[in-house]
Amino acid sequence: MKLKKQVTVCGAAIFCVAVFSLYLMLDRVQHDPTRHQNGGNFPRSQISVLQNRIEQLEQLLEENHEIISHIKDSVLELTANAEGPPAMLPYYTVNGSWVVPPEPRPSFFSVSPQDCQFALGGRGQKPELQMLTVSEELPFDNVDGGVWRQGFDISYDPHDWDAEDLQVFVVPHSHNDPGWIKTFDKYYTEQTQHILNSMVSKLQEDPRRRFLWAEVSFFAKWWDNINAQKRAAVRRLVGNGQLEIATGGWVMPDEANSHYFALIDQLIEGHQWLERNLGATPRSGWAVDPFGYSSTMPYLLRRANLTSMLIQRVHYAIKKHFAATHSLEFMWRQTWDSDSSTDIFCHMMPFYSYDVPHTCGPDPKICCQFDFKRLPGGRINCPWKVPPRAITEANVAERAALLLDQYRKKSRLFRSNVLLVPLGDDFRYDKPQEWDAQFFNYQRLFDFFNSRPNLHVQAQFGTLSDYFDALYKRTGVEPGARPPGFPVLSGDFFSYADREDHYWTGYYTSRPFYKSLDRVLEAHLRGAEVLYSLAAAHARHSGLAGRYPLSDFTLLTEARRTLGLFQHHDAITGTAKEAVVVDYGVRLLRSLVNLKQVIIHAAHYLVLGDKETYHFDPEAPFLQVDDTRLSHDALPEHTVIQLDSSPRFVVLFNPLEQERFSMVSLLVNSPRVRVLSEEGQPLAVQISAHWSSATEVVPDVYQVSVPVRLPALGLGVLQLQLGLDGHRTLPSSVRVYLHGRQLSVSRHEAFPLRIIDSGSSDFALSNRYMQVWFSGLTGLLKVKGQGGGEGPGARAGHVWWWHCAEWPPGPVSILPPDPQWTRAWDISAPD
């Protein structure tokens, strides 16, 4: 306190001297005869006198600026030399208590109700369908429904369509998994490229034909391998509406494991590809195969300007209930939305699957007879033992009546007289013969329907958007608006069961290693994009673009597409074959390594004070990231910073758009270490032993934990030196609970170790901010609420860091980014 007073008094005195000096200078100007003499040499006009006075004023201002600068530097120097903990930096007192200075600005601000839509409460219409309520009320009894086993018998009056014809859209499609039984590349080589090649020729044969595609990842790979003539033909097919790219994402993503960052990223990558190459903008969403549906996806699609969407894999009991209440089409609204700003029109397919036997109507035995790929002599047949028959003049009336009965029954489950009938399955239309069989036979059926007004049905091939457009027209609303009488729904469609008690929930946790690697790549991608953008923009603005590796953008694009590919509903879910999982892992690791190079190049450029000294040398990188993986299925190995007489420098990066106060942990080879800030101020640190297991300590390796504050999207530097700062260095203490097991525990003289042989009671770690409980039996984290409930805890993001041998930078080695995107669980204690 005494020193602060001295600094304040000294600064005030210097300021007074400066003001007094300025006063004397002004007085001298007014009375100095030599200045008047010099001024007399100028022309005695008013303009000359004014110009002379302006020049004198500019000189005085410049002298005053120098005085103020000296005052500022003096005060800063006095403050830097003050004893005690540095301002705004954490430290700990002699009794072992850590002290964290207050935030420079408030961490929490008052929130007005207008800031959060959900704070508005009950304004606006509440959804008729809330999925939590629906799930609580359903019996989930699985009663046999007859030919539609999971449903009920459907009846109708043939005169139901006398006033308004039934309008049927048959939508040919082929669902192509970017990896499942085969790898992405093998699927493309053996099937997908043939589907797309045949599509171009077969759609051009008849303008009435339509086709629906969803996976841009396959489409982009195919596009790179076709000639200009075929590309022009594809653009024409898209332009005249014969070919529709639905959703437009890089893949058809899983919606349970994927982080929203990756969902948005793969959607952007797909949409930008379509805009650049086809000039197309997706209008409708198509998600027939994800294993349940999150309420986040319709929100993202709506914000991406899609107006309608379709889903399929919903619990069979919910489908039955929605079919019985004519609620299979609804406006999907966010639970927090008080009006209709997040609404998107959604169509739920009513039956078991998206294959042909389960899309024309409730009886799969009949619908299978209209899958003309299964004609006798082919590789697949109908499991109900009644094969399809080619449509001829002799049998068209009988076959049309049979199919129309299914169409009419299916239409009775919906509120409009517009009917959607998908026609496809996994990797369909991979041979020209199937294109011919499906299109020729269905066109004969359509011609029969459309030529007989007494049937009151109009049928045609269509795309998904053709169907939605017709529905909006029939109901008299604009695309994306709510048709009169259609319900509003909020909530999600997890968990999914396709029959009996076959719940698809194991994929939430299967192959967790690759789920983790997905998050690691995601974090690196976020950081690399930010750093590259900052560095490239500065290099272009400074005229140094020729020195900076702008080609790193290609690596960013490859990594975005790799991350997008892994969001596929058979990738991040862990439901693919082992060889396919290995292929995904290799791709993830390759992109991870590339992103680290992008980060190194950008960080190198940005930390240099003099950008003119920047030199890109791929053979001798300035920085090296610390965590390395020997293979796609190996855990990361962290480099130990070797401390010696020369200081080591660590570069920190905060990839978030707000200031962060975080704990950074580094591995060093000595317990005697001092950590300094970029300005040379000593920082508080904790030194810990580095454990390779619950009982084994790694010799000669120590963990240094440093609390640091980093600016938004900013870089920081730490300096590591050999030595010991007793006031700011805290050794950790360890307790090991053995529960009666006879185990040998490593000890280190630098760190207190307490071994507790028995006891099963829970224990806690606490400070003045929180108390964290652990199970005495398992050692796992517990969350204790009013009812004593347990659950997983939330994990905060990490700061990215590297280290280098010199600062200002010279030759370097370096350390790793940890994933900063982590999933937090919302845990409620039981009532």
Side-chain angles (χ1 to χ4, degrees):
M1 183 63 71
K2 183 177 180 181
L3 182 58
K4 287 184 178 179
K5 288 182 178 179
Q6 293 175 352
V7 171
T8 304
V9 171
C10 184
I14 295 173
F15 181 78
C16 291
V17 171
V19 172
F20 186 72
S21 300
L22 182 61
Y23 174 80
L24 291 176
M25 292 165 57
L26 290 171
D27 184 71
R28 180 185 174 192
V29 168
Q30 292 180 353
H31 297 93
D32 190 351
T34 60
R35 293 204 175 208
H36 283 290
Q37 261 184 348
N38 292 338
N41 294 332
F42 288 91
R44 293 182 176 273
S45 65
Q46 293 182 355
I47 297 177
S48 298
V49 172
L50 181 61
Q51 182 179 1
N52 188 28
R53 289 181 178 179
I54 291 175
E55 290 174 352
Q56 294 174 6
L57 180 60
E58 289 176 346
Q59 181 180 358
L60 290 173
L61 288 174
E62 184 177 351
E63 293 172 356
N64 181 55
H65 176 72
E66 293 178 359
I67 293 172
I68 297 300
S69 297
H70 288 310
I71 294 172
K72 181 179 178 182
D73 293 340
S74 299
V75 173
L76 289 175
E77 184 178 356
L78 287 169
T79 305
N81 293 332
E83 295 181 0
M88 302 310 300
L89 295 174
Y91 62 96
Y92 87 99
T93 61
V94 291
N95 63 359
S97 301
W98 284 88
V99 176
V100 179
E103 297 278 351
R105 60 186 66 87
S107 298
F108 302 97
F109 298 91
S110 60
V111 178
S112 90
Q114 288 73 27
D115 294 332
C116 299
Q117 288 286 341
F118 58 81
L120 296 177
R123 298 186 188 178
Q125 178 187 358
K126 291 186 177 179
E128 294 94 330
L129 301 171
Q130 216 299 328
M131 289 312 301
L132 285 176
T133 303
V134 171
S135 297
E136 289 173 355
E137 294 176 351
L138 287 182
F140 294 95
D141 48 5
N142 195 24
V143 176
D144 192 333
V147 293
W148 179 19
R149 282 196 168 184
Q150 298 169 335
F152 46 82
D153 289 331
I154 304 172
S155 59
Y156 62 88
D157 186 326
H159 298 288
D160 286 344
W161 296 271
D162 287 354
E164 186 179 62
D165 286 355
L166 178 64
Q167 190 174 7
V168 180
F169 288 90
V170 175
V171 180
H173 70 96
S174 181
H175 175 59
N176 282 234
D177 290 300
W180 177 38
I181 304 299
K182 305 175 186 177
T183 65
F184 174 80
D185 288 333
K186 194 169 185 180
Y187 269 138
Y188 173 79
T189 302
E190 296 182 1
Q191 292 175 274
T192 303
Q193 65 170 332
H194 304 304
I195 296 170
L196 295 172
N197 285 331
S198 296
M199 172 199 72
V200 177
S201 59
K202 294 300 180 181
L203 289 184
Q204 292 184 96
E205 290 179 3
D206 189 337
R208 294 173 296 179
R209 296 177 178 181
R210 301 289 186 270
F211 194 66
L212 186 76
W213 190 265
E215 297 81 11
V216 176
S217 53
F218 273 129
F219 205 91
K221 184 176 179 66
W222 172 70
W223 185 266
D224 291 338
N225 290 280
I226 61 176
N227 57 35
Q229 182 180 2
K230 189 171 287 188
R231 289 182 178 182
V234 172
R235 293 190 183 102
R236 287 195 299 272
L237 293 172
V238 171
N240 65 24
Q242 286 186 260
L243 171 63
E244 179 179 13
I245 310 295
T247 307
W250 201 245
V251 297
M252 188 182 292
D254 171 57
E255 300 183 21
N257 298 281
S258 295
H259 193 280
Y260 76 90
F261 175 92
L263 290 176
I264 295 172
D265 206 58
Q266 64 87 30
L267 198 62
I268 292 174
E269 190 65 26
H271 281 205
Q272 289 185 340
W273 189 94
L274 292 172
E275 174 64 28
R276 285 194 307 267
N277 294 281
L278 300 180
T281 301
R283 298 170 52 203
S284 304
W286 173 265
V288 294
D289 206 21
F291 319 139
Y293 300 92
S294 164
S295 59
T296 299
M297 200 62 190
Y299 176 77
L300 299 181
L301 295 181
R302 185 69 189 90
R303 288 294 179 258
N305 288 326
L306 276 71
T307 56
S308 316
M309 62 180 296
L310 174 146
I311 59 177
Q312 153 59 26
R313 289 194 183 274
V314 174
H315 195 293
Y316 61 88
I318 294 175
K319 285 191 172 190
K320 178 179 178 179
H321 172 69
F322 279 20
T325 58
H326 299 93
S327 302
L328 289 166
E329 292 181 322
F330 49 85
M331 302 304 293
W332 200 342
R333 180 177 298 173
Q334 298 301 300
T335 55
W336 45 264
D337 187 3
S338 61
D339 47 39
S340 59
S341 62
T342 62
D343 284 10
I344 184 170
F345 186 79
C346 182
H347 173 100
M348 181 188 295
M349 297 172 65
F351 306 125
Y352 170 77
S353 178
Y354 55 85
D355 60 0
V356 180
H358 296 94
T359 50
C360 87
D363 191 344
K365 179 179 180 180
I366 293 176
C367 290
C368 192
Q369 298 174 45
F370 294 89
D371 182 0
F372 296 103
K373 181 177 182 176
R374 304 176 192 251
L375 286 167
R379 296 179 59 185
I380 59 173
N381 51 36
C382 288
W384 296 271
K385 308 302 181 184
V386 182
R389 285 187 281 161
I391 305 302
T392 64
E393 290 294 331
N395 67 9
V396 64
E398 176 264 328
R399 304 309 290 172
L402 189 63
L403 182 59
L404 180 58
D405 177 65
Q406 291 298 301
Y407 286 170
R408 286 174 170 175
K409 287 179 177 178
K410 182 178 182 180
S411 74
R412 290 299 80 196
L413 305 178
F414 296 89
R415 294 177 185 248
S416 80
N417 284 329
V418 183
L419 184 66
L420 175 68
V421 181
L423 182 69
D425 200 352
D426 292 353
F427 295 94
R428 282 301 192 90
Y429 302 95
D430 61 340
K431 292 181 173 54
Q433 294 83 355
E434 181 180 0
W435 288 87
D436 294 338
Q438 302 285 24
F439 280 102
F440 285 148
N441 285 288
Y442 268 98
Q443 192 60 57
R444 288 173 183 145
L445 290 166
F446 296 162
D447 292 343
F448 182 86
F449 288 142
N450 300 337
S451 63
R452 286 161 175 77
N454 61 301
L455 295 178
H456 297 288
V457 59
Q458 294 294 314
Q460 65 185 84
F461 293 115
T463 64
L464 185 60
S465 291
D466 288 339
Y467 165 74
F468 284 127
D469 288 343
L471 186 146
Y472 293 135
K473 184 177 180 180
R474 280 280 181 101
T475 55
V477 299
E478 293 295 320
R482 179 185 178 186
F486 281 59
V488 176
L489 176 144
S490 66
D492 60 53
F493 295 101
F494 291 117
S495 296
Y496 168 60
D498 58 345
R499 60 183 183 273
E500 299 171 347
D501 59 352
H502 296 192
Y503 281 87
W504 296 40
T505 55
Y507 76 95
Y508 296 163
T509 56
S510 59
R511 291 192 164 112
F513 178 87
Y514 293 100
K515 287 176 168 61
S516 172
L517 188 57
D518 162 79
R519 294 298 196 269
V520 172
L521 180 63
E522 192 173 316
H524 279 73
L525 178 59
R526 158 74 179 176
E529 287 179 332
V530 171
L531 285 171
Y532 175 85
S533 299
L534 294 174
H538 188 284
R540 290 191 180 101
H541 181 74
S542 305
L544 300 175
R547 298 187 188 182
Y548 189 79
L550 299 177
S551 58
D552 279 357
F553 187 80
T554 303
L555 301 181
L556 285 175
T557 301
E558 179 188 341
R560 279 197 295 269
R561 293 179 175 183
T562 298
L563 180 67
L565 184 70
F566 196 68
Q567 306 316 303
H568 166 53
H569 55 265
D570 283 312
I572 193 172
T573 56
T575 55
K577 293 288 188 179
E578 180 63 25
V580 180
V581 173
V582 170
D583 180 66
Y584 286 136
V586 170
R587 291 172 181 269
L588 292 172
L589 180 60
R590 181 172 62 243
S591 291
L592 187 59
V593 172
N594 289 340
L595 287 178
K596 289 178 180 179
Q597 295 304 311
V598 176
I599 291 169
I600 286 171
H601 300 158
H604 178 193
Y605 179 86
L606 292 171
V607 297
L608 290 175
D610 182 5
K611 301 295 191 290
E612 293 288 343
T613 63
Y614 177 79
H615 173 67
F616 170 64
D617 185 356
E619 301 301 323
F622 175 74
L623 300 171
Q624 298 294 329
V625 186
D626 178 42
D627 76 346
T628 57
R629 296 173 185 253
L630 298 179
S631 65
H632 69 91
D633 55 356
L635 290 171
E637 297 181 3
H638 299 289
T639 301
V640 179
I641 303 175
Q642 301 296 321
L643 299 176
D644 50 33
S645 57
S646 300
R648 306 288 292 184
F649 293 89
V650 176
V651 181
L652 307 174
F653 172 54
N654 173 18
L656 300 184
E657 60 275 12
Q658 63 264 0
E659 182 184 69
R660 301 178 66 186
F661 179 71
S662 301
M663 187 68 69
V664 176
S665 294
L666 318 170
L667 296 183
V668 296
N669 66 331
S670 172
R672 298 178 55 83
V673 58
R674 299 175 66 240
V675 181
L676 307 179
S677 69
E678 188 170 357
E679 295 78 19
Q681 295 177 332
L683 301 179
V685 300
Q686 176 175 297
I687 308 295
S688 309
H690 183 53
W691 296 79
S692 60
S693 69
T695 58
E696 294 292 329
V697 171
V698 179
D700 301 323
V701 177
Y702 308 90
Q703 179 175 292
V704 181
S705 299
V706 189
V708 294
R709 202 183 302 276
L710 291 174
L713 302 177
L715 292 163
V717 179
L718 295 180
Q719 183 180 161
L720 276 64
Q721 299 177 348
L722 274 177
L724 191 61
D725 187 342
H727 181 65
R728 293 180 175 84
T729 303
L730 176 68
S732 66
S733 60
V734 181
R735 283 180 292 174
V736 179
Y737 291 78
L738 296 181
H739 299 301
R741 286 175 288 183
Q742 300 300 316
L743 298 174
S744 175
V745 181
S746 299
R747 292 180 179 271
H748 194 288
E749 64 276 4
F751 308 105
L753 176 65
R754 181 183 173 193
I755 298 177
I756 302 173
D757 292 324
S758 61
S760 58
S761 58
D762 295 348
F763 59 94
L765 299 177
S766 63
N767 58 22
R768 59 176 174 160
Y769 299 106
M770 68 180 69
Q771 185 178 54
V772 184
W773 284 87
F774 298 86
S775 168
L777 291 175
T778 65
L780 297 178
L781 180 66
K782 302 183 71 172
V783 175
K784 294 207 168 187
Q786 293 178 348
E790 300 180 20
R795 180 170 175 256
H798 291 279
V799 173
W800 289 24
W801 58 275
W802 309 267
H803 81 266
C804 58
E806 301 177 16
W807 202 266
V812 171
S813 51
I814 221 195
L815 296 180
D818 286 335
Q820 72 93 3
W821 290 112
T822 54
R823 301 196 70 172
W825 296 82
D826 183 13
I827 307 159
S828 314
D831 296 333

PDB file of all heavy atoms in Angstrom, residues 31-48:
ATOM      1  N   HIS A  31       6.215  36.390 -25.557  1.00  0.00           N
ATOM      2  CA  HIS A  31       7.082  37.512 -25.203  1.00  0.00           C
ATOM      3  C   HIS A  31       8.481  37.414 -25.800  1.00  0.00           C
ATOM      4  O   HIS A  31       9.303  38.295 -25.583  1.00  0.00           O
ATOM      5  CB  HIS A  31       7.198  37.607 -23.673  1.00  0.00           C
ATOM      6  CG  HIS A  31       5.888  37.888 -23.013  1.00  0.00           C
ATOM      7  ND1 HIS A  31       5.071  36.890 -22.541  1.00  0.00           N
ATOM      8  CD2 HIS A  31       5.244  39.060 -22.771  1.00  0.00           C
ATOM      9  CE1 HIS A  31       3.975  37.424 -22.010  1.00  0.00           C
ATOM     10  NE2 HIS A  31       4.058  38.759 -22.138  1.00  0.00           N
ATOM     11  N   ASP A  32       8.817  36.368 -26.494  1.00  0.00           N
ATOM     12  CA  ASP A  32      10.169  36.212 -27.022  1.00  0.00           C
ATOM     13  C   ASP A  32      10.376  37.189 -28.192  1.00  0.00           C
ATOM     14  O   ASP A  32       9.737  37.046 -29.243  1.00  0.00           O
ATOM     15  CB  ASP A  32      10.384  34.773 -27.492  1.00  0.00           C
ATOM     16  CG  ASP A  32      11.854  34.514 -27.822  1.00  0.00           C
ATOM     17  OD1 ASP A  32      12.667  35.465 -27.861  1.00  0.00           O
ATOM     18  OD2 ASP A  32      12.171  33.332 -28.044  1.00  0.00           O
ATOM     19  N   PRO A  33      11.286  38.190 -28.037  1.00  0.00           N
ATOM     20  CA  PRO A  33      11.462  39.184 -29.113  1.00  0.00           C
ATOM     21  C   PRO A  33      12.043  38.589 -30.378  1.00  0.00           C
ATOM     22  O   PRO A  33      11.754  39.044 -31.478  1.00  0.00           O
ATOM     23  CB  PRO A  33      12.415  40.213 -28.478  1.00  0.00           C
ATOM     24  CG  PRO A  33      13.130  39.470 -27.386  1.00  0.00           C
ATOM     25  CD  PRO A  33      12.174  38.470 -26.873  1.00  0.00           C
ATOM     26  N   THR A  34      12.905  37.567 -30.228  1.00  0.00           N
ATOM     27  CA  THR A  34      13.473  36.969 -31.441  1.00  0.00           C
ATOM     28  C   THR A  34      12.398  36.356 -32.298  1.00  0.00           C
ATOM     29  O   THR A  34      12.478  36.382 -33.528  1.00  0.00           O
ATOM     30  CB  THR A  34      14.503  35.903 -31.046  1.00  0.00           C
ATOM     31  OG1 THR A  34      13.854  34.898 -30.281  1.00  0.00           O
ATOM     32  CG2 THR A  34      15.629  36.496 -30.228  1.00  0.00           C
ATOM     33  N   ARG A  35      11.370  35.738 -31.624  1.00  0.00           N
ATOM     34  CA  ARG A  35      10.283  35.138 -32.404  1.00  0.00           C
ATOM     35  C   ARG A  35       9.501  36.232 -33.141  1.00  0.00           C
ATOM     36  O   ARG A  35       9.058  36.033 -34.258  1.00  0.00           O
ATOM     37  CB  ARG A  35       9.358  34.336 -31.505  1.00  0.00           C
ATOM     38  CG  ARG A  35      10.034  33.111 -30.916  1.00  0.00           C
ATOM     39  CD  ARG A  35       9.022  32.071 -30.536  1.00  0.00           C
ATOM     40  NE  ARG A  35       9.705  30.870 -30.078  1.00  0.00           N
ATOM     41  CZ  ARG A  35       9.215  29.656 -30.172  1.00  0.00           C
ATOM     42  NH1 ARG A  35       8.044  29.476 -30.713  1.00  0.00           N
ATOM     43  NH2 ARG A  35       9.884  28.624 -29.739  1.00  0.00           N
ATOM     44  N   HIS A  36       9.351  37.388 -32.429  1.00  0.00           N
ATOM     45  CA  HIS A  36       8.638  38.464 -33.115  1.00  0.00           C
ATOM     46  C   HIS A  36       9.429  38.983 -34.305  1.00  0.00           C
ATOM     47  O   HIS A  36       8.887  39.337 -35.337  1.00  0.00           O
ATOM     48  CB  HIS A  36       8.369  39.623 -32.142  1.00  0.00           C
ATOM     49  CG  HIS A  36       7.235  39.333 -31.206  1.00  0.00           C
ATOM     50  ND1 HIS A  36       5.929  39.268 -31.620  1.00  0.00           N
ATOM     51  CD2 HIS A  36       7.230  39.084 -29.859  1.00  0.00           C
ATOM     52  CE1 HIS A  36       5.135  39.013 -30.582  1.00  0.00           C
ATOM     53  NE2 HIS A  36       5.917  38.885 -29.492  1.00  0.00           N
ATOM     54  N   GLN A  37      10.785  39.037 -34.107  1.00  0.00           N
ATOM     55  CA  GLN A  37      11.637  39.478 -35.205  1.00  0.00           C
ATOM     56  C   GLN A  37      11.529  38.555 -36.401  1.00  0.00           C
ATOM     57  O   GLN A  37      11.364  38.967 -37.521  1.00  0.00           O
ATOM     58  CB  GLN A  37      13.102  39.533 -34.742  1.00  0.00           C
ATOM     59  CG  GLN A  37      13.519  40.936 -34.381  1.00  0.00           C
ATOM     60  CD  GLN A  37      14.987  40.987 -34.022  1.00  0.00           C
ATOM     61  OE1 GLN A  37      15.629  39.961 -33.842  1.00  0.00           O
ATOM     62  NE2 GLN A  37      15.520  42.172 -33.913  1.00  0.00           N
ATOM     63  N   ASN A  38      11.625  37.226 -36.076  1.00  0.00           N
ATOM     64  CA  ASN A  38      11.535  36.235 -37.160  1.00  0.00           C
ATOM     65  C   ASN A  38      10.177  36.340 -37.855  1.00  0.00           C
ATOM     66  O   ASN A  38      10.067  36.177 -39.057  1.00  0.00           O
ATOM     67  CB  ASN A  38      11.747  34.814 -36.632  1.00  0.00           C
ATOM     68  CG  ASN A  38      13.178  34.620 -36.157  1.00  0.00           C
ATOM     69  OD1 ASN A  38      14.068  35.355 -36.583  1.00  0.00           O
ATOM     70  ND2 ASN A  38      13.391  33.658 -35.258  1.00  0.00           N
ATOM     71  N   GLY A  39       9.158  36.544 -37.007  1.00  0.00           N
ATOM     72  CA  GLY A  39       7.832  36.660 -37.604  1.00  0.00           C
ATOM     73  C   GLY A  39       7.718  37.860 -38.496  1.00  0.00           C
ATOM     74  O   GLY A  39       6.958  37.885 -39.453  1.00  0.00           O
ATOM     75  N   GLY A  40       8.548  38.903 -38.189  1.00  0.00           N
ATOM     76  CA  GLY A  40       8.457  40.087 -39.024  1.00  0.00           C
ATOM     77  C   GLY A  40       8.987  39.895 -40.412  1.00  0.00           C
ATOM     78  O   GLY A  40       8.759  40.715 -41.287  1.00  0.00           O
ATOM     79  N   ASN A  41       9.812  38.871 -40.597  1.00  0.00           N
ATOM     80  CA  ASN A  41      10.352  38.602 -41.926  1.00  0.00           C
ATOM     81  C   ASN A  41       9.277  38.114 -42.900  1.00  0.00           C
ATOM     82  O   ASN A  41       9.499  38.101 -44.098  1.00  0.00           O
ATOM     83  CB  ASN A  41      11.461  37.556 -41.845  1.00  0.00           C
ATOM     84  CG  ASN A  41      12.658  38.117 -41.076  1.00  0.00           C
ATOM     85  OD1 ASN A  41      12.878  39.329 -41.071  1.00  0.00           O
ATOM     86  ND2 ASN A  41      13.419  37.226 -40.450  1.00  0.00           N
ATOM     87  N   PHE A  42       8.161  37.640 -42.337  1.00  0.00           N
ATOM     88  CA  PHE A  42       7.088  37.147 -43.215  1.00  0.00           C
ATOM     89  C   PHE A  42       6.282  38.335 -43.755  1.00  0.00           C
ATOM     90  O   PHE A  42       6.270  39.422 -43.176  1.00  0.00           O
ATOM     91  CB  PHE A  42       6.149  36.227 -42.440  1.00  0.00           C
ATOM     92  CG  PHE A  42       6.770  34.904 -42.136  1.00  0.00           C
ATOM     93  CD1 PHE A  42       7.454  34.717 -40.956  1.00  0.00           C
ATOM     94  CD2 PHE A  42       6.668  33.847 -43.017  1.00  0.00           C
ATOM     95  CE1 PHE A  42       8.028  33.488 -40.652  1.00  0.00           C
ATOM     96  CE2 PHE A  42       7.236  32.626 -42.733  1.00  0.00           C
ATOM     97  CZ  PHE A  42       7.914  32.444 -41.548  1.00  0.00           C
ATOM     98  N   PRO A  43       5.606  38.124 -44.815  1.00  0.00           N
ATOM     99  CA  PRO A  43       4.744  39.190 -45.341  1.00  0.00           C
ATOM    100  C   PRO A  43       3.747  39.604 -44.282  1.00  0.00           C
ATOM    101  O   PRO A  43       3.242  38.779 -43.522  1.00  0.00           O
ATOM    102  CB  PRO A  43       4.065  38.522 -46.554  1.00  0.00           C
ATOM    103  CG  PRO A  43       4.992  37.429 -46.939  1.00  0.00           C
ATOM    104  CD  PRO A  43       5.638  36.959 -45.687  1.00  0.00           C
ATOM    105  N   ARG A  44       3.451  40.912 -44.256  1.00  0.00           N
ATOM    106  CA  ARG A  44       2.602  41.420 -43.205  1.00  0.00           C
ATOM    107  C   ARG A  44       1.118  41.278 -43.556  1.00  0.00           C
ATOM    108  O   ARG A  44       0.312  42.069 -43.146  1.00  0.00           O
ATOM    109  CB  ARG A  44       2.928  42.901 -42.950  1.00  0.00           C
ATOM    110  CG  ARG A  44       4.301  43.120 -42.371  1.00  0.00           C
ATOM    111  CD  ARG A  44       4.548  44.593 -42.089  1.00  0.00           C
ATOM    112  NE  ARG A  44       5.835  44.780 -41.444  1.00  0.00           N
ATOM    113  CZ  ARG A  44       6.025  44.702 -40.130  1.00  0.00           C
ATOM    114  NH1 ARG A  44       5.022  44.424 -39.333  1.00  0.00           N
ATOM    115  NH2 ARG A  44       7.238  44.906 -39.612  1.00  0.00           N
ATOM    116  N   SER A  45       0.772  40.255 -44.259  1.00  0.00           N
ATOM    117  CA  SER A  45      -0.647  39.988 -44.527  1.00  0.00           C
ATOM    118  C   SER A  45      -1.218  39.100 -43.424  1.00  0.00           C
ATOM    119  O   SER A  45      -0.497  38.403 -42.713  1.00  0.00           O
ATOM    120  CB  SER A  45      -0.808  39.298 -45.883  1.00  0.00           C
ATOM    121  OG  SER A  45      -0.201  38.025 -45.835  1.00  0.00           O
ATOM    122  N   GLN A  46      -2.532  39.091 -43.311  1.00  0.00           N
ATOM    123  CA  GLN A  46      -3.172  38.280 -42.272  1.00  0.00           C
ATOM    124  C   GLN A  46      -2.946  36.788 -42.510  1.00  0.00           C
ATOM    125  O   GLN A  46      -2.798  36.017 -41.567  1.00  0.00           O
ATOM    126  CB  GLN A  46      -4.677  38.580 -42.254  1.00  0.00           C
ATOM    127  CG  GLN A  46      -5.014  39.987 -41.794  1.00  0.00           C
ATOM    128  CD  GLN A  46      -6.512  40.218 -41.739  1.00  0.00           C
ATOM    129  OE1 GLN A  46      -7.273  39.343 -42.129  1.00  0.00           O
ATOM    130  NE2 GLN A  46      -6.912  41.397 -41.268  1.00  0.00           N
ATOM    131  N   ILE A  47      -2.895  36.354 -43.738  1.00  0.00           N
ATOM    132  CA  ILE A  47      -2.695  34.924 -44.031  1.00  0.00           C
ATOM    133  C   ILE A  47      -1.334  34.477 -43.556  1.00  0.00           C
ATOM    134  O   ILE A  47      -1.187  33.399 -42.953  1.00  0.00           O
ATOM    135  CB  ILE A  47      -2.860  34.653 -45.536  1.00  0.00           C
ATOM    136  CG1 ILE A  47      -4.293  34.987 -45.972  1.00  0.00           C
ATOM    137  CG2 ILE A  47      -2.510  33.207 -45.865  1.00  0.00           C
ATOM    138  CD1 ILE A  47      -4.533  34.819 -47.465  1.00  0.00           C
ATOM    139  N   SER A  48      -0.307  35.289 -43.770  1.00  0.00           N
ATOM    140  CA  SER A  48       1.045  34.909 -43.359  1.00  0.00           C
ATOM    141  C   SER A  48       1.144  34.830 -41.842  1.00  0.00           C
ATOM    142  O   SER A  48       1.769  33.927 -41.286  1.00  0.00           O
ATOM    143  CB  SER A  48       2.059  35.924 -43.915  1.00  0.00           C
ATOM    144  OG  SER A  48       2.041  35.937 -45.311  1.00  0.00           O
TER     145      SER A  48
END
